[in-house]
Amino acid sequence: MDLQGFGHLLISGAWITIQLAVCSLFVGLLFGIIGASAKLSSSKTANLLGNSYTLFVRGMPELLLVLTIYFGSSAVLMAIASLFGYDEYIELSPFVAGVTALSIAFGAYATEVFRSAMQEIPKGQREAAVALGMSRFQTFRRITLPQVWRLALPGLGNLFLVLLKDTALVSVIGLNELMRQASVAVGNTKEPFTFYFAAAMVYLLMTSISMAGLHLLERKANQGYQGARS
């Protein structure tokens, strides 16, 4: 396949895509854990916030969320800055806006995965931990989180594969990730099939590696669990 000297653009775009996906994954996992904890909380206010978060975000197209975060953040930041006497224009970088939007979207779906996993853990284990004098945080860190990770891993893996492909949406706000770089190459060479096919192969390679890594993580997590039971 002749990339006519634009291969480096695809490589740099793939690297940005990986950074975007990994950053969004870690922030999104945090949102998911907080959201699941809120939905399972005995507090009505926390329940309302958790349910509103998942309902609102899961009902909004990811592309619209990306555009809203990117363009809407400027107005919010400038309004806050004006309270301190700062009147210059403020804008989020496309990367930060992309990570924010994708993290929020990923977190909404991860919330349901974590919630389901938490509900599968026998309630008696947490009660026993409290009886032994553990705090809520110690119970979550030592009892709940290790088991939640194992139970939620398959669902989170599927969500990450979706997230990896959704990074292409951030091209609309000017981030030079893989899809945008492929479009730049197409604009210069007038060969859309060549470069979009090359981009598709790169996405396929990244998802294949991700699937292999997720398979190893799942096998390791289950082996550890089986070993503990035996």
Side-chain angles (χ1 to χ4, degrees):
M1 181 180 294
D2 183 12
L3 298 180
Q4 302 183 36
F6 288 92
H8 68 284
L9 288 182
L10 298 183
I11 294 174
S12 64
W15 175 235
I16 295 295
T17 293
I18 293 170
Q19 294 180 65
L20 182 61
V22 172
C23 291
S24 300
L25 170 66
F26 284 111
V27 179
L29 286 174
L30 180 60
F31 284 159
I33 292 174
I34 294 173
S37 299
K39 295 189 76 167
L40 294 175
S41 173
S42 57
S43 169
K44 291 184 178 180
T45 301
N47 284 160
L48 178 61
L49 291 174
N51 286 317
S52 298
Y53 168 54
T54 54
L55 177 64
F56 179 76
V57 176
R58 294 172 71 188
M60 178 183 290
E62 282 81 358
L63 178 58
L64 181 57
L65 186 59
V66 170
L67 294 173
T68 300
I69 294 294
Y70 182 65
F71 293 106
S73 61
S74 295
V76 174
L77 292 174
M78 289 176 66
I80 295 174
S82 65
L83 298 176
F84 300 93
Y86 186 84
D87 57 358
E88 298 293 330
Y89 182 73
I90 302 175
E91 182 181 68
L92 279 185
S93 71
F95 186 86
V96 173
V99 169
T100 302
L102 294 178
S103 298
I104 291 173
F106 180 89
Y109 290 96
T111 291
E112 296 303 323
V113 174
F114 280 124
R115 182 182 64 83
S116 177
M118 289 178 181
Q119 288 179 322
E120 289 190 39
I121 300 174
K123 189 176 180 181
Q125 294 186 13
R126 291 188 290 270
E127 294 174 346
V130 173
L132 290 173
M134 292 187 189
S135 65
R136 283 190 174 183
F137 177 75
Q138 289 175 323
T139 301
F140 179 79
R141 182 171 61 86
R142 298 177 180 177
I143 306 299
T144 304
L145 191 58
Q147 297 183 78
V148 164
W149 170 251
R150 179 183 63 84
L151 295 169
L153 191 55
L156 294 176
N158 289 332
L159 290 180
F160 177 71
L161 295 179
V162 174
L163 170 65
L164 187 61
K165 292 178 286 186
D166 281 347
T167 56
L169 299 175
V170 188
S171 64
V172 301
I173 58 174
L175 183 65
N176 291 324
E177 46 70 65
L178 179 57
M179 195 65 192
R180 180 171 176 81
Q181 296 290 50
S183 298
V184 170
V186 169
N188 282 275
T189 63
K190 311 303 180 184
E191 294 187 12
F193 178 80
T194 298
F195 288 95
Y196 288 139
F197 180 77
M201 292 300 100
V202 175
Y203 279 116
L204 181 60
L205 176 62
M206 290 190 293
T207 54
S208 298
I209 294 174
S210 299
M211 289 175 64
L214 290 167
H215 177 72
L216 290 175
L217 287 175
E218 288 182 31
R219 188 169 63 180
K220 183 177 180 180
N222 288 325
Q223 283 177 346
Y225 177 71
Q226 291 169 1
R229 292 183 61 181
S230 61

